[in-house]
Amino acid sequence: MSRERIFQYTHPAAGWGALRAVSQHIRHSQAPLANVRSLLKMNQPDGFDCPGCAWGDPEHGSSFEFCENGVKAVTWETTAKRVTPKFFERYSVAEMKTWDDYRLEDQGRLTSPMRYNGDTGHYEPISWDAAYELVAEHLKALDHPDQALFYTSGKAANESAYVFQLLARLYGTNNLPDCSNMCHEASGTALGESLGIGKGSVLLEDFEKAEAIFTFGQNPGTNHPRMLGTLREASERGCEIVAFNTLRERGLERFADPQKKLEMLRGGSHRISSLYFRPHLGGDMAAIRGMAKVVFEREARDGNVIDHDFIAQYTNGFDAWQRAVETTSWEAIEDQSGLTREEITQAAEVYIRSNATICCWAMGITQHQHSVVMIREIVNFLLMRGNIGKPGAGTCPVRGHSNVQGDRTMGIFERPKPALLDALEAYYGVPMPREHGVDTVNAIRAMRDGKAKVFIGLGGNFARATSDSEVCEEALSSCNLTVHISTKLNRSHLVTGRDALILPCVGRVEVDRRADGQPQLITVEDSMSMVHGSAGIHEPASPDLRPEITILTNIAHRALGSEVVDWLALAEDYDRIRDQIAAVIPGFADFNNRVRQPRGFWLGNPGARREFPTPSGRAEFSDAALPEMVMHQQLRDREGWITLQTLRSHDQYNTTVYGYNDRYRGVEGTRRVIFLSSADMARLGVAKNDWVDLIGDSADGRERRANGFRVVEYDTPAGCAAAYYPETNPLIPLDSVGLKSNTPTSKSVAIRLEKSVRLA
Ligand SMILES: Nc1nc2c(c(=O)[nH]1)N[C@H]1C(S)=C(S)[C@@H](COP(=O)(O)OP(=O)(O)OC[C@H]3O[C@@H](n4cnc5c(=O)[nH]c(N)nc54)[C@H](O)[C@@H]3O)O[C@H]1N2
Ligand SMILES: Nc1nc2c(c(=O)[nH]1)N[C@H]1C(S)=C(S)[C@@H](COP(=O)(O)OP(=O)(O)OC[C@H]3O[C@@H](n4cnc5c(=O)[nH]c(N)nc54)[C@H](O)[C@@H]3O)O[C@H]1N2
Ligand SMILES: [Mo]
């Protein structure tokens, strides 16, 4: 770890800093040659899908797209370090529990299946057959299928996800919580209500035609670096980019493209955003409503701003929304958004000038209590000028995990639509469970209340990614069995049920071979609904790894038998899984052929054709009122309290911590910092570099704290603080969730600070 240092970052995003960071990560992973080879194969027609983000791939993807965080994701998986049975003999679970997330994952790739022994406190080797048998026995022993939980993290490929949901449903439950419940759930819900389909409507090509792009609550410089290239190109050809972000984020301001070496040699960079606004946490709905107010005023004055034909032909509820906008006062808008009427008018002018507008958003929008109505307001805003279903315009919820969208398409959803269940019943000829299952937060409640007894995780780090860490750990520990299908050691493995298994699997960059030696293909779907193939190129990190599908089908074969589904045959050739997907999931006809086309295929989005599969067949405006008070308004009069957003540093992938630097925010050598405005530092009586403990809400009688954070002064509005996830997850009460989305409110957490004394 490098020395702790807080500094002012003055360079553009990416650029030389990114190249330096890349070479350091390749060196640290100790497998340099292999890494370089894999980088050249990333996001190529015959290579593997980048395990980083879900941003779309360019049409002319012949030259490799450089992305610092893609490199980190790949080197993290191709590391030469190994976690062997000897390692588990040496370290007890109790000892590893004292390690932080970085140290756990940095031990390297898991190599062998392991079973926890409660008597010794160590994990011990177990054979694959015995492990499969153990899971099957536990599943068979439950009184009711709803006592089992099947969690999915969004890296699982379509084929793994399809098999996993089939296993859960044939076993008899819809208990399929996933990481999406903590991520874009509100987007799916809001888009479904407004437009009839829970996915974004734009393609990458639309970014080449947009005249304005609005981004809300998103940090692409770190989390979707390839999107910066897209934004830069748009900006270069004169498209106006308007950013709304509570923090000043470097990647949204300036960007130097590492692929343009000449520009970097000259020390050049390119401006990304034309306008940059910093609303209060949770203030975007008010800001958007303010922009709509300006549009209505301009329509009344000049006419020709609102697309009345579009509204009449395709939508419902416009008048009620117009009334809602007109009755919302500027005072309420300014107070909640933290932006002035002048600023909002300036942003609205860009919208009025543009004939084709895209709105992008991510976690700064989806992780609040009122996220669903906020996203519906984004859609209202687009609909009013007909910005759905025309080139260069539409909705773009920027997804997280590389296949999180595909997993939902494959049926990973605790509240499946009847049509999916009907299709499954028709194909397999057996009844499917109709009761809704539990999402992530309800899965924790179910374990806590003794209603769920077996937890199976297909990837991810459930104990660390969820809110209220202590409650979640107690819940997991009360299970009969916890099973984690994983590539790397993480905290969830250490929060064992009475029985616990770690089942190590082949990673995305590794070859997965059929018995005849032919490589298997897997498929994924990106943020723009493009489905394409992915095939690894490295030999697996250990001969004792199994592909996810081998693990799942062996469990299914033993737990359910193979009368309805010939599970083991599915694992032999994934084309057989794809044939079943083609028969069950709409849009996948002729899947095996179409996915072998160079760029795969587009699933399409009815919204792009101005078809809206809502009950009315029309796009629905939402006339929701602004929430009376969002968190920062509730807390500003409570002495000592402040609203915290929990976010990602530049050196992490969710709970995977690559290192301790957050270059663009000027933090080096530590993750235990809290970003505060100078006004809040004065109000709360703390100074730069002070050590503080963070205390969460304890209204339900449970103490919540996270100790030992250093104060960093940062350019953010008063009343709004920021610190990294997952260290701050213990502060988020399990019951603090979004309305209708049930997503933890990770961007609106009530905290107060206590000074702590610590040796430097
Ligand atoms: N390298 C890397 N890439 C990733 C990930 C990663 O951890 N590392 N994670 C992946 C996943 S699963 C996801 S979901 C995405 C996440 O991508 P992001 O959504 O970009 O992730 P966060 O770090 O949570 O950043 C939230 C951003 O929103 C801003 N923000 C917070 N609250 C508000 C608000 O109320 N209003 C406004 N306007 N802004 C706000 C914050 O200042 C911050 O810039 O990235 C994916 N890609
Ligand atoms: N406070 C707060 N909490 C949050 C968020 C936030 O912004 N703030 N963000 C939320 C969001 S957006 C998300 S998406 C969730 C993420 O939640 P998860 O998806 O559960 O967590 P990850 O950290 O992505 O999971 C990392 C682990 O996945 C395993 N893994 C990696 N690759 C593979 C693979 O190819 N196969 C298998 N089987 N396993 C693999 C590794 O063992 C690794 O340790 O966290 C959520 N939690
Ligand atoms: Mo996510």
Side-chain angles (χ1 to χ4, degrees):
M1 193 197 308
S2 56
R3 196 172 56 85
E4 283 186 28
R5 185 167 79 99
I6 309 298
F7 60 99
Q8 185 88 36
Y9 184 83
T10 51
H11 307 286
W16 292 112
L19 290 180
R20 244 191 320 275
V22 160
S23 59
Q24 277 161 11
H25 276 272
I26 293 183
R27 233 177 304 128
H28 184 78
S29 79
Q30 299 175 358
L33 269 178
N35 279 318
V36 174
R37 209 175 119 217
S38 41
L39 292 173
L40 295 171
K41 280 279 182 192
M42 193 151 82
N43 289 7
Q44 298 294 306
D46 61 340
F48 58 90
D49 181 64
C50 178
C53 71
W55 189 247
D57 300 327
E59 190 166 9
H60 320 290
S62 51
S63 76
F64 119 87
E65 263 207 297
F66 175 90
C67 159
E68 175 188 348
N69 282 337
V71 173
K72 288 181 193 165
V74 169
T75 50
W76 201 245
E77 195 168 301
T78 58
T79 174
K81 302 177 193 174
R82 297 289 179 267
V83 174
T84 59
K86 269 223 142 16
F87 170 92
F88 286 109
E89 204 181 302
R90 175 147 175 225
Y91 299 108
S92 70
V93 165
E95 179 166 2
M96 289 186 283
K97 268 191 173 172
T98 64
W99 300 0
D100 70 4
D101 301 295
Y102 172 78
R103 183 161 175 206
L104 287 171
E105 281 212 27
D106 192 42
Q107 301 308 312
R109 289 288 298 277
L110 295 159
T111 57
S112 311
M114 305 296 296
R115 178 185 186 179
Y116 181 61
N117 181 340
D119 295 333
T120 62
H122 283 258
Y123 269 100
E124 295 166 359
I126 181 174
S127 74
W128 278 105
D129 278 336
Y132 299 144
E133 201 53 53
L134 185 70
V135 182
E137 272 168 28
H138 272 282
L139 286 174
K140 286 193 213 160
L142 294 178
D143 303 324
H144 193 280
D146 287 340
Q147 290 177 325
L149 302 169
F150 298 84
Y151 173 72
T152 311
S153 167
K155 211 175 150 190
N158 289 332
E159 292 73 14
S160 305
Y162 184 82
V163 166
F164 199 45
Q165 63 83 36
L166 192 59
L167 159 61
R169 294 200 166 108
L170 287 175
Y171 175 67
T173 183
N174 284 309
N175 281 346
L176 287 156
D178 69 351
C179 68
S180 222
N181 297 141
M182 300 179 266
C183 184
H184 265 294
E185 193 65 60
S187 304
T189 305
L191 291 171
E193 288 177 356
S194 289
L195 304 173
I197 174 160
K199 299 181 182 182
S201 72
V202 298
L203 275 167
L204 211 46
E205 287 86 311
D206 287 306
F207 285 83
E208 294 165 14
K209 298 174 191 132
E211 293 181 21
I213 298 168
F214 284 68
T215 75
F216 301 96
Q218 196 204 343
N219 182 24
T222 288
N223 298 315
H224 307 92
R226 289 182 297 127
M227 180 180 179
L228 282 189
T230 306
L231 291 180
R232 175 206 158 108
E233 272 168 34
S235 156
E236 270 179 335
R237 64 171 175 77
C239 171
E240 293 191 83
I241 296 174
V242 183
F244 288 80
N245 196 306
T246 303
L247 295 180
R248 195 169 277 299
E249 301 283 29
R250 202 53 184 153
L252 283 166
E253 293 183 323
R254 298 202 77 79
F255 171 57
D257 192 340
Q259 302 205 66
K260 300 198 169 144
K261 305 227 171 33
L262 210 58
E263 173 178 270
M264 294 215 326
L265 283 171
R266 292 192 186 123
S269 65
H270 197 86
R271 188 187 70 176
I272 296 284
S273 306
S274 336
L275 292 170
Y276 197 123
F277 300 104
R278 277 169 307 140
H280 279 134
L281 291 172
D284 299 79
M285 180 174 177
I288 297 161
R289 185 148 291 191
M291 290 194 282
K293 233 173 146 61
V294 177
V295 176
F296 280 118
E297 286 163 9
R298 190 60 49 85
E299 173 74 12
R301 198 188 76 191
D302 303 342
N304 277 330
V305 186
I306 288 172
D307 191 339
H308 294 288
D309 292 343
F310 173 84
I311 289 165
Q313 200 179 341
Y314 297 108
T315 72
N316 266 336
F318 177 71
D319 295 341
W321 178 57
Q322 179 168 6
R323 271 193 303 280
V325 173
E326 285 169 355
T327 52
T328 311
S329 69
W330 273 112
E331 204 184 353
I333 287 170
E334 290 189 323
D335 190 48
Q336 189 159 109
S337 69
L339 302 177
T340 63
R341 183 173 176 172
E342 288 68 38
E343 289 172 309
I344 292 172
T345 304
Q346 222 189 340
E349 295 291 354
V350 174
Y351 186 56
I352 292 169
R353 273 199 297 277
S354 157
N355 293 307
T357 301
I358 294 174
C359 285
C360 306
W361 68 91
M363 298 304 103
I365 296 298
T366 63
Q367 295 177 333
H368 292 286
Q369 196 187 30
H370 58 298
S371 294
V372 170
V373 288
M374 185 141 58
I375 296 161
R376 293 203 63 185
E377 193 74 3
I378 294 177
V379 178
N380 290 341
F381 180 63
L382 287 167
L383 288 173
M384 80 189 301
R385 301 205 64 227
N387 275 311
I388 302 260
K390 72 175 178 192
T395 55
C396 184
V398 186
R399 301 279 163 179
H401 266 300
S402 51
N403 197 39
V404 62
Q405 185 162 316
D407 291 346
R408 273 290 163 92
T409 307
M410 292 298 117
I412 300 290
F413 192 29
E414 76 282 356
R415 291 171 286 138
K417 289 223 173 92
L420 171 71
L421 300 176
D422 294 345
L424 286 165
E425 284 181 0
Y427 186 85
Y428 297 101
V430 290
M432 292 288 149
R434 295 276 161 172
E435 286 262 307
H436 284 177
V438 291
D439 60 14
T440 292
V441 165
N442 285 329
I444 297 172
R445 291 184 177 133
M447 289 185 278
R448 178 195 64 190
D449 301 341
K451 292 181 190 151
K453 294 279 165 204
V454 170
F455 175 96
I456 303 178
L458 177 58
N461 186 0
F462 190 85
R464 222 37 195 147
T466 53
S467 50
D468 230 348
S469 313
E470 232 181 74
V471 176
C472 179
E473 293 199 0
E474 285 168 21
L476 277 169
S477 312
S478 73
C479 285
N480 297 344
L481 172 72
T482 50
V483 182
H484 296 283
I485 300 169
S486 313
T487 51
K488 289 241 183 156
L489 184 65
N490 66 43
R491 176 92 189 170
S492 298
H493 304 140
L494 310 177
V495 185
T496 54
R498 239 161 299 143
D499 232 328
L501 289 169
I502 302 174
L503 303 181
C505 64
V506 171
R508 177 85 58 89
V509 304
E510 291 165 343
V511 199
D512 173 355
R513 268 187 238 287
R514 299 195 312 218
D516 66 5
Q518 285 300 308
Q520 300 260 29
L521 185 77
I522 56 158
T523 66
V524 295
E525 173 186 340
D526 68 23
S527 268
M528 283 92 188
S529 309
M530 293 292 306
V531 179
H532 56 90
S534 169
I537 54 168
H538 290 291
E539 285 310 310
S542 146
D544 213 11
L545 299 184
R546 295 289 178 273
E548 287 171 352
I549 292 168
T550 303
I551 299 171
L552 297 176
T553 50
N554 271 284
I555 292 172
H557 175 67
R558 284 166 174 82
L560 308 176
S562 283
E563 284 82 58
V564 176
V565 175
D566 187 352
W567 296 103
L568 303 182
L570 290 184
E572 281 167 18
D573 183 352
Y574 301 167
D575 279 6
R576 295 175 185 154
I577 304 175
R578 280 186 286 274
D579 284 339
Q580 301 193 1
I581 294 172
V584 170
I585 309 286
F588 286 83
D590 200 21
F591 191 7
N592 271 311
N593 281 327
R594 282 198 295 157
V595 82
R596 288 185 165 86
Q597 307 310 310
R599 239 191 125 202
F601 61 96
W602 186 44
L603 276 179
N605 181 309
R609 300 187 299 273
R610 297 193 162 173
E611 286 167 19
F612 304 105
T614 57
S616 67
R618 289 165 159 263
E620 300 284 348
F621 279 92
S622 149
D623 64 351
L626 287 189
E628 270 186 21
M629 279 210 263
V630 298
M631 185 72 82
H632 78 87
Q633 293 170 303
Q634 292 170 30
L635 292 181
R636 64 187 165 197
D637 299 327
R638 262 171 86 184
E639 204 183 320
W641 288 79
I642 186 164
T643 309
L644 176 77
Q645 64 152 318
T646 59
L647 42 47
R648 293 153 174 79
S649 90
H650 194 62
D651 243 2
Q652 79 182 80
Y653 195 92
N654 298 336
T655 70
T656 294
V657 175
Y658 301 127
Y660 295 91
N661 298 339
D662 192 7
R663 197 168 68 245
Y664 302 152
R665 300 196 188 104
V667 176
E668 219 170 79
T670 178
R671 291 176 50 82
R672 301 199 76 90
V673 292
I674 176 163
F675 300 97
L676 291 172
S677 69
S678 52
D680 286 320
M681 286 166 57
R683 176 173 72 95
L684 302 171
V686 294
K688 262 191 219 176
N689 289 329
D690 275 359
W691 284 102
V692 291
D693 295 339
L694 313 184
I695 321 290
D697 187 291
S698 58
D700 60 359
R702 183 180 269 273
E703 207 198 342
R704 294 189 172 81
R705 39 184 330 136
N707 290 344
F709 290 77
R710 225 147 62 119
V711 171
V712 171
E713 186 180 336
Y714 209 82
D715 195 354
T716 181
C720 304
Y724 303 130
Y725 125 79
E727 288 83 347
T728 45
N729 287 37
L731 299 167
I732 311 173
L734 190 62
D735 293 338
S736 181
V737 290
L739 299 169
K740 284 195 185 173
S741 63
N742 217 28
T743 297
T745 58
S746 304
K747 299 296 188 272
S748 285
V749 187
I751 60 158
R752 63 188 173 79
L753 312 185
E754 255 175 29
K755 279 215 200 187
S756 69
V757 185
R758 225 157 268 257
L759 297 177

